[in-house]
Amino acid sequence: MTMKALKTIAAAGLVAGMAATVSAVPDATVTVVRTSGYYDPASGYGGGEFTLKGSPWANPAHYDPATLVSGGFQTFCMERNEGLSGQPFHAYLNTAAVNGGLGGGSPDPLSIGTAWLYKQFAEGNLAGYDYTPGPGREASARALQEAIWMLEDELPVAANPYITLVTTKFGSLAAAKADYDPMTAGFTVRVVNLYGIDKTTGDTDWSAKKQDMLVYLPDGGMTLVLMGGGLLGLALIRRKE
């Protein structure tokens, strides 16, 4: 049995529980855009960075200013076969991607390697990442996105500086692909599951699953859900002054 198969079985109860407990009220209503100079514009390439707007989660005390852009925070996608049409979206926090992916199954638990790389990115500490908007950042964004796809079994493993970095951190590629456990990791990253919105009722359209993305919740998330939106807005006001 493959590692991803084991991960899928282990996470089935998690996502089943989520489906049973998620109400019609989303965690947030968000939009996702691309910001020039922050992603590789090559034709046909659909990877990050992305700018996620409208969430209450991006605490500027923990996100580096370089990763807070145009009123949102920078993030990366989990899957290669889902899109972002039909905005805005209803967003739900989870620890797994769902209803998509080329190699990870559904649910597809977040890997510890992906979570760690995104934490480093969000804090502005990711070794070798060019945080200056322009060609250098575009190249860094593509390399990090492809590393995430590799760790989530969306791409074949290939030479990549961030795969090398995360393999060194965890001791092996297999260890970097292991399921992320927020109880033991010492930091909190979540998957943002995005869904369409029924234009007639305003309810979540559960049949319209969109791309899954990442968010960093440094204190476990509860404080950020309650306070993050105000903190982000305050930080952006201060940066404009």
Side-chain angles (χ1 to χ4, degrees), residues 142-162:
R142 180 159 187 156
L144 179 55
Q145 178 67 83
E146 291 180 352
I148 290 170
W149 280 339
M150 290 176 196
L151 289 165
E152 302 303 319
D153 284 347
E154 298 292 299
L155 273 178
V157 175
N160 183 291
Y162 299 115

Side-chain angles (χ1 to χ4, degrees), residues 6-138:
L6 290 171
K7 290 171 73 177
T8 298
I9 291 170
L14 169 72
V15 174
M18 175 191 171
T21 57
V22 166
S23 70
V25 179
D27 294 319
T29 299
V30 304
T31 57
V32 182
V33 301
R34 296 283 199 102
T35 304
S36 180
Y38 292 81
Y39 73 98
D40 189 336
S43 177
Y45 179 69
E49 299 175 28
F50 296 87
T51 306
L52 193 151
K53 300 183 178 185
S55 92
W57 309 308
N59 188 332
H62 298 277
Y63 268 78
D64 187 84
T67 63
L68 298 173
V69 178
S70 301
F73 67 89
Q74 297 304 95
T75 186
F76 293 83
C77 63
M78 296 279 291
E79 299 144 330
R80 294 181 61 209
N81 64 342
E82 289 188 331
L84 291 165
S85 62
Q87 301 197 45
F89 309 122
H90 279 169
Y92 297 85
L93 295 183
N94 196 357
T95 55
V98 296
N99 293 356
L102 298 178
S106 180
D108 183 7
L110 178 64
S111 72
I112 182 63
T114 293
W116 182 79
L117 285 173
Y118 184 68
K119 172 185 180 292
Q120 301 304 307
F121 164 81
E123 292 179 334
N125 297 325
L126 184 57
Y129 202 94
D130 186 346
Y131 286 91
T132 302
R137 184 154 181 165
E138 292 170 0

